[in-house]
Amino acid sequence: MTSAAPEGAPRRLRAGVIGLGWAGQQHVAAYAADPTVELVALSAMEEHLLEQFGEEHQVPGRYQDWKQMLAEAELDVVSIATPTFLHEPMAIHALEAGVNVITEKPMAQSGEAAARMVEAARGAGRVLDVSFNHRRRGDVTALKDVVDSGVLGPLYYAKTGWVRRQGIPGLGTWFTKAGSAGGGAMMDIGIHMLDMTLHLMGEPAVTAVSASTHAEFGPRGRGGSGFGISQVEEGTPFEVEDLATAFLRLDGGATMLLESSWAQWIPHDLCYVALYGAEGGATIEWGGPDGPTITVWTEVAGIPAELRPAVGADGNHAAAVADFLQKVRSGDVAAHDGSQALRRARVIDACYASAEAGAEVAVAQ
């Protein structure tokens, strides 16, 4: 049940969620737990999910038609947790209806589509946000504090990646179709690591990329996982990459190596970020045999030192939704129009263009 607002508090924001897969369920739970929000509407094609989560959280509005929900539910905010190719039309429709929007990542299937979403947000005077939940991890927050403290000095190099032993999501579904997903491993999980690393480095602009993509597992029907499977479409070809690597040039001269794979002959799944500064280096990683780790290497009074920063709790989707709601309440719409996520989308576009051309490509600014 949606919690009651504290007495004397401002009017609760009326919230809705489109899409009730795993990610959508996280948004539902976040809204339902927030006493400043009234969760009033859900939309999904699956009737059983509408009934299940509608009953669990006593949500009065339940719609299979998302346009009908936006027309009738009088929403202030909406979460869009649907296949990537639907983000653009749904977000633009909601923004033009006067609703503030948060979408799941990736923002859209292309930079052009993402740019149209930003234009719609600016035209409507509404907030557009993208849920990059992994930057809300406790170790990422701890490392951000280290970077901001100046312990590492100016950062000049980073390595980052998310690699899986076997984990192609929804093999044979929209996840592996170029038109609906926009790309494969780089678009799906590589963008998380790109976002996280640029966030840690202080948002330097990416000026150029040199990338390569491979599809060695998916075309043979190998490397799949149960995650993300909805309804497999028989005969659907594997149209995206299952591994991508990229070398990124950053404004100011720093560089980054980015890798992502859904399937690869490696010992185990692994996510990592390594930062190298003039005064120290630091790494975070999870998925390895030792569990999540964060380590900083520097000098203290001229003595080599290894630091283990304290790590708080993970924020995940709930923190992403809370940040979105804070942006809506701030009234500073111009600062929250989706531009940062658009820059991520343009980097991914450049990665795919580089891989196709076999040459370095400049990133559209």
Side-chain angles (χ1 to χ4, degrees), residues 303-323:
I303 301 172
E306 182 175 305
L307 312 178
R308 298 278 180 165
V311 175
D314 293 342
N316 296 324
H317 283 85
V321 169
D323 286 350

Side-chain angles (χ1 to χ4, degrees), residues 151 279-281 295-308:
V151 168
E279 304 299 333
T295 310
V296 177
W297 294 273
T298 186
E299 286 184 350
V300 176
I303 301 172
E306 182 175 305
L307 312 178
R308 298 278 180 165

Side-chain angles (χ1 to χ4, degrees), residues 170-195:
L171 185 59
T173 70
W174 70 268
F175 272 104
T176 56
K177 295 170 66 176
S180 53
M186 180 66 81
M187 179 71 82
D188 178 40
I189 55 179
I191 198 168
H192 267 307
M193 308 313 294
L194 173 68
D195 172 75

